[in-house]
Amino acid sequence: MEILNGKELSARLKNKIAEQIATDYLEKGKQPPALACVLVGDDPASKIYVASKEKACRAVGMGSIIRVLPANSTEQEVESCIKELAADNSVSAILLQLPLPRGLNERKILNSIPPQKDADALTDICLGKLFSKTHTIAPCTASGIMELLKDKQIEISGKRAVVIGRSLLVGKSVANLLEQANATVTICHSKTQNLDQIASQADILIVAIGKPNFVTPNMVKTGAVVIDVGINRTENGIVGDVDYSSVAPKCSYITPVPGGVGPMTIAMLLSNTLTLAKEQEKMKEKNSEHSR
Ligand code: NAP
């Protein structure tokens, strides 16, 4: 069994991004890309995530802007904050920290982010592009998972992948990327029958449900690759959706929690921000050529 070390891979990816920012922006005297995070309310976990995203931006030489809005903000207030950031030329990408406080329409607010500045590629337009394979970026957690598999040259084509969880944020997005990489994909959810049996057929098992230690050895094929996306705060600290100690011995590869998928999400957020910044530059150049 080998551990898929997201912390280490994410550090490597971040170093590459830092080099690119230095050569393409800082050394040329150009303003580096900047990520704006919008945090609504005071959920302690969300606050930690936003702070670590800011730290990661700074560490690679990117700009970071944080907008904090009160939990009782209206949809219009959140949307007008996003609109302001969208109009700011120094902002390359916007991330709306999820989940939003109850009562706010998440899809509607997400869709107020212009697709060309959508850091997590979660707007309807970006998801449409992902599903039609015309995307340049994908939701950060899903692409982070694909990077983990790619780094170890884990074969995907022709393999049977099972994704437990069907959120747009993780399950559906990663299922789509796996299918694009020619896996045969089954998506499971809370209404799935015979889940144990389906999961136990997977060569690649992705678990994103938010239930501590849900996956047990009987649900895992010997030699499977297991990717645990879950982040669950328990009395014993942060644990994943997979019962790591009993499942790990059965796997060929497994991600730990913490230190697996989590750090990859942040690295891909930086990568997406850089990609969007470059696309915006190209678009500006194209527009100025047209107006000449
Ligand atoms: P979500 O939107 O709440 O979706 C959870 C999914 O799990 C739903 O599709 C739900 O099915 C399914 N589910 C729940 N209980 C189930 C059960 N007993 N059996 C089978 N399926 C079940 O959650 P999410 O945003 O995808 O996040 C999932 C987990 O990943 C959470 O722990 C979250 O904290 C973590 N996460 C981690 C990262 C990272 O960077 N590591 C990023 C994002 C999320 P239904 O659709 O039928 O309700």
Side-chain angles (χ1 to χ4, degrees), residues 141 165-167 169-170 189-190 208-211 214 229-231 262 265:
T141 303
R166 59 174 161 181
S167 69
L169 185 68
V170 191
H189 46 76
S190 66
I209 57 176
K211 298 265 181 294
F214 179 86
V229 184
I231 301 176
T265 298

Side-chain angles (χ1 to χ4, degrees), residues 35 37 39 43-56 66 95 97-99 229-233 238 262-263 265-266 269:
L35 171 71
C37 288
L39 172 63
D43 175 62
S46 293
K47 274 186 180 168
I48 295 171
Y49 293 145
V50 167
S52 61
K53 285 165 188 168
E54 175 169 44
K55 198 173 147 202
I66 311 282
L95 178 105
Q97 183 63 46
L98 301 175
V229 184
I231 301 176
N232 306 292
R233 280 153 228 281
I238 290 176
T265 298
I266 296 203
L269 179 63

Side-chain angles (χ1 to χ4, degrees), residues 147-187:
E147 286 295 320
L148 278 168
L149 299 173
K150 190 171 125 197
D151 185 58
K152 291 289 178 191
Q153 295 169 3
I154 292 169
E155 201 169 342
I156 302 173
S157 181
K159 298 291 174 191
R160 175 134 204 207
V162 173
V163 179
I164 314 182
R166 59 174 161 181
S167 69
L168 288 170
L169 185 68
V170 191
K172 277 199 184 90
S173 301
V174 76
N176 213 269
L177 291 173
L178 287 163
E179 175 271 316
Q180 287 179 20
N182 296 319
T184 302
V185 185
T186 305
I187 302 179

Side-chain angles (χ1 to χ4, degrees), residues 84-147:
E84 207 180 289
L85 293 166
D88 183 340
N89 285 332
S90 69
V91 173
S92 322
I94 302 167
L95 178 105
L96 179 66
Q97 183 63 46
L98 301 175
L100 292 177
R102 271 172 194 276
L104 291 175
N105 184 335
E106 198 167 282
R107 287 305 310 158
K108 183 166 179 284
I109 296 176
L110 268 172
N111 278 321
S112 70
I113 300 174
Q116 63 274 19
K117 288 197 176 185
D118 180 6
D120 210 2
L122 280 174
T123 52
D124 290 351
I125 289 179
C126 289
L127 288 171
K129 284 185 174 177
L130 171 67
F131 290 7
S132 63
K133 222 179 158 182
T134 54
H135 60 290
T136 53
I137 62 166
C140 302
T141 303
S143 45
I145 293 168
M146 298 306 285
E147 286 295 320

